[in-house]
Amino acid sequence: MATKQPPPLMKKHSQTDLVSRLKTRKILGVGGEDDDGEVHRSKISQVLGNEIKFAVREPLGLRVWQFVSAIMFSGVAIMALTFPDQLYDAVFEEESVNSKTPIRLYGGALLSLSLIMWNALYTSEKVIIRWTLLTEACYFGVQFLVTTITLVESGRISTGAMLLLTSRILFTLITVYYYYQVGRRPKKV
C-alpha cells in the first residue's frame, strides 16, 4: 500500500506581504480609526471598549478643591450638629434661635453631602466627579439665594452674612469652572 505523501509545507506569502496584512486587518476591522479618532489594536479592544476613553484628564487643582470642599462641608456639618446657636449667631449676629432643630437638620444634610464629597475624592470616573461638582454648585447657589432672601426680609445686613454671601459666589464660580473643565473633551494628539 502506497501512501500518498503530503506536499511539503510551504510558507504563506501573506505573512510577509504588507498589503495582504493590511487587507486582512481592514476586513477584521482593526487598525483603522473609529469616529472618535481612536485606533483599535485588536477586535477585543473594540468589543470590550477602551477604558482610556473614560479616564479624566484632571484640571490643575481639582483634587485640592475636592479635598477643601469635603473639609468645609464636614466642618460646617459638625458645627451645625453640635453648636447650632453659635453657627446661627456667626451668620446673622442674633443671640437666640427659636428652635435648634432646623439648624441640626441642616447639619445632617450637610454631613450627608460631605460623605459624597469624600467618596468623590477617591474616584477617577468623569461622570461621578461632574455630578459631585454639580451638586456642590447647586448647594452653593441655593445657599446664596436663601441667605440673601433672609437678609432682605429681616432688614439687617451683618458682616458674617456678607462674608458668607461673598464666599458662596466665589465657591460657586470655582465649582462651575471645574465642572466645565472636567466635562471638556480632550484634545486629540
Side-chain angles (χ1 to χ4, degrees):
M1 273 185 133
T3 57
K4 196 173 179 185
Q5 290 285 1
L9 295 175
M10 294 176 39
K11 187 177 182 183
K12 285 187 166 185
H13 293 287
S14 63
Q15 292 175 345
T16 56
D17 184 17
L18 181 61
V19 174
S20 180
R21 283 197 341 218
L22 289 175
K23 285 180 183 175
T24 305
R25 290 181 68 77
K26 189 170 185 176
I27 290 170
L28 290 174
V30 294
E33 287 188 12
D34 63 4
D35 295 337
D36 294 332
E38 294 182 21
V39 178
H40 294 282
R41 304 287 179 228
S42 69
K43 201 66 174 174
I44 293 172
S45 70
Q46 283 181 335
V47 172
L48 295 178
N50 191 356
E51 67 183 55
I52 294 172
K53 213 184 262 188
F54 303 110
V56 177
R57 186 165 172 234
E58 295 177 357
L60 189 63
L62 173 67
R63 295 301 178 173
V64 173
W65 177 247
Q66 286 180 307
F67 181 71
V68 167
S69 295
I71 287 177
M72 281 190 315
F73 275 73
S74 299
V76 175
I78 291 169
M79 188 172 175
L81 288 169
T82 54
F83 307 111
D85 291 330
Q86 287 80 2
L87 182 65
Y88 188 82
D89 182 43
V91 175
F92 297 107
E93 294 181 357
E94 293 180 13
E95 293 289 326
S96 63
V97 179
N98 295 339
S99 175
K100 295 178 183 180
T101 305
I103 297 172
R104 286 198 169 126
L105 288 172
Y106 167 73
L110 273 186
L111 192 60
S112 300
L113 283 175
S114 74
L115 293 175
I116 293 170
M117 301 297 166
W118 284 111
N119 284 322
L121 185 62
Y122 299 106
T123 188
S124 61
E125 290 187 39
K126 182 179 183 177
V127 176
I128 293 174
I129 293 171
R130 287 195 83 208
W131 272 106
T132 305
L133 290 168
L134 183 63
T135 302
E136 190 175 342
C138 289
Y139 165 77
F140 289 139
V142 167
Q143 188 178 32
F144 175 80
L145 289 173
V146 168
T147 306
T148 303
I149 291 169
T150 304
L151 289 174
V152 168
E153 286 176 349
S154 70
R156 283 189 240 155
I157 297 181
S158 64
T159 309
M162 291 310 293
L163 183 64
L164 180 71
L165 291 177
T166 306
S167 68
R168 291 313 171 228
I169 290 172
L170 179 66
F171 294 162
T172 303
L173 291 174
I174 293 170
T175 304
V176 168
Y177 167 76
Y178 281 123
Y179 175 79
Y180 282 112
Q181 288 299 315
V182 170
R184 280 187 14 200
R185 296 190 94 192
K187 294 178 183 176
K188 295 182 181 179
V189 181

